[in-house]
Amino acid sequence: MNKPCFIAVTNRNLCKRPFFDVIEDLSKKDVKTIVLREKDLSEEEYYEIAEKCKEICDRNGASLTIHNFIDVARRLGIKKIHLPYPVFLKEAGNMSDFESVSTSIHKPEEAIKAQKLGVDFVFAGHVFVTDCKKGLPPRGLEFLADVVNAVKIPVYGIGGINEENITKIMECGAAGGCMMSGFMK
């Protein structure tokens, strides 16, 4: 089995210390990318945070992925974008200027459609119980394995992923897992 691969997903509201200190530390870790997922911000507020995160990531040679705000990514020259599935469907034909385009899916059929529309990889979830989806039952490892088997592109599990259960994600054939709260400490 391959070495566990993590994608860091941010949520500054979970940080126990200054957010940019967390980004500084993340930019020095062995993660595939840092997805700046600050869903509560306006586009302008997001831009300001993304600009500072880009500066930190560039200085440390880390990969930064913009979440949802396509124009922010373009304005900052960031070539990696992660889009919610409905936004991805709407924008799929307009993403050729990005090096990497990913989306979040909740059904194998969505992964198949995303693959056909040219996505580079998907986040599939939520796999385990997570505070981000309070009250919603997790889809589980069988769901994750079904998604992995439905497509040829890499699949990353999301939702409740941590260093203790990443092995289970990898055993399903996933390329890795997305972790939020474990990185925000």
Side-chain angles (χ1 to χ4, degrees):
M1 184 173 57
N2 293 336
K3 177 180 151 234
C5 175
F6 284 102
I7 291 176
V9 180
T10 71
N11 181 340
R12 71 193 190 298
N13 298 315
L14 296 178
C15 292
K16 308 255 188 288
R17 54 199 178 98
F19 179 67
F20 294 118
D21 290 354
V22 172
I23 296 299
E24 184 75 38
D25 289 349
L26 276 175
S27 72
K28 296 173 183 171
K29 287 192 183 303
D30 182 21
V31 296
K32 177 180 172 66
T33 191
I34 300 166
V35 178
L36 188 62
R37 183 180 179 253
E38 300 301 321
K39 294 170 82 171
D40 62 324
L41 297 177
S42 70
E43 188 164 341
E44 255 335 287
E45 292 167 325
Y46 185 93
Y47 179 90
E48 290 174 23
I49 286 179
E51 187 174 40
K52 178 73 172 154
C53 290
K54 179 184 185 315
E55 182 183 301
I56 293 168
C57 288
D58 286 352
R59 182 175 65 242
N60 293 307
S63 168
L64 180 65
T65 299
I66 295 298
H67 180 269
N68 192 40
F69 292 111
I70 298 167
D71 289 339
V72 169
R74 287 181 171 136
R75 283 169 55 199
L76 290 172
I78 296 172
K79 297 294 185 184
K80 296 180 179 183
I81 190 87
H82 182 85
L83 300 172
Y85 186 70
V87 177
F88 170 72
L89 291 179
K90 188 174 151 236
E91 298 291 337
N94 188 27
M95 308 302 293
S96 61
D97 54 326
F98 288 95
E99 292 170 6
S100 172
V101 178
S102 56
T103 190
S104 297
I105 60 91
H106 302 96
K107 300 177 193 154
E109 302 78 43
E110 291 175 348
I112 292 166
K113 185 162 188 175
Q115 177 179 265
K116 283 181 184 162
L117 292 172
V119 79
D120 295 294
F121 58 92
V122 295
F123 295 177
H126 67 288
V127 178
F128 300 113
V129 172
T130 176
D131 286 342
C132 286
K133 305 285 184 188
K134 240 189 193 11
L136 278 179
R139 290 183 171 85
L141 292 169
E142 189 176 326
F143 155 78
L144 182 61
D146 288 346
V147 173
V148 167
N149 291 323
V151 294
K152 292 183 175 22
I153 55 174
V155 175
Y156 292 83
I158 191 167
I161 311 296
N162 57 44
E163 295 195 18
E164 289 76 48
N165 63 25
I166 188 70
T167 304
K168 292 177 181 173
I169 296 295
M170 303 295 287
E171 287 169 353
C172 289
C178 304
M179 189 162 68
M180 182 184 288
S181 56
F183 284 130
M184 297 296 109
K185 297 172 184 165

